[in-house]
Amino acid sequence: MTTPASLSALVVIPARMASTRLPDKPLALIAGKPMIAHVIDRGMAAEIGPVVVACDHPDIKAAVEAAGGTAVMTDPDLPSGSDRVRAAAEAVDPQRAYDIVLNLQGDVPLIDPEAIRAAFDPLSDPAVDIGTIATEIRSEDGRTDPSFVKTVGTPIGERRLRALYFTRATAPTGPGPLYQHIGLYAYRRAALDRFVSLPPSSLEKRESLEQLRALEAGMRIDVGLIDSVPMDVNTPRDLEAVRAIFASRVSNPS
């Protein structure tokens, strides 16, 4: 399905200073720029709408503005990234000119802009409340690893699933591909409003997966399938790996 040219989104990047495994993560330098600046670049390259950072610390705001970006301070006591995304959207777009809000995580400096668009594209169907992405799990360890969140869905197009469930277990069983869910979401504005107003659901609490809250509430989530595996940065080791990738791109630009 082709996304109409008139469809656009407000891209919001939640960024928090608190990280137990990698302190001051948004400000970690990669190729001379803070990580958050690289993520802004990726969001802009997706070309689906303006990009704003929802942050909880003036140092992040200063780094974003130094990079030419827009930042909004949000309440550090908000319970989740989704709440921070909604708060930032309300602050920068109170007139609701944008019907879609895309939550782009602030620790994916290598994400392919095509992956961002793949989460956005399902909302060209007015029946879809939330768009997200997944990629095929190609390692045997990944099929059984509970840290690989599996998307269980029914195919509705060449590279599209309608989500039926998300789980840390190996599912579905039997032969065939398994898909790893990537936590990037494009919400219709009304769906985001509803989502953050709902209490955590029973399956959400059992699986520790907030997207199950939306499914249990009857919202429709469609999944764009991508080939890449976006790497998130959670530890000093992850950071060094990403720095090495950027360095190799500079030394081998082709």
Side-chain angles (χ1 to χ4, degrees), residues 40-121:
I40 292 170
D41 290 345
R42 309 308 276 179
M44 295 292 290
E47 297 183 330
I48 60 173
V51 178
V52 62
V53 175
C55 58
D56 67 347
H57 196 283
D59 287 353
I60 301 175
K61 187 172 188 292
V64 169
E65 292 173 347
T70 301
V72 175
M73 294 289 291
T74 56
D75 185 346
D77 293 328
L78 288 171
S80 73
S82 300
D83 291 276
R84 287 186 288 279
V85 165
R86 181 179 180 275
E90 291 299 305
V92 301
D93 183 29
Q95 303 303 316
R96 294 183 167 237
Y98 293 93
D99 182 53
I100 297 169
V101 177
L102 188 140
N103 179 347
L104 173 61
Q105 296 302 315
D107 57 3
V108 285
L110 291 168
I111 191 166
D112 191 329
E114 287 291 340
I116 300 171
R117 286 192 286 269
F120 170 69
D121 285 346

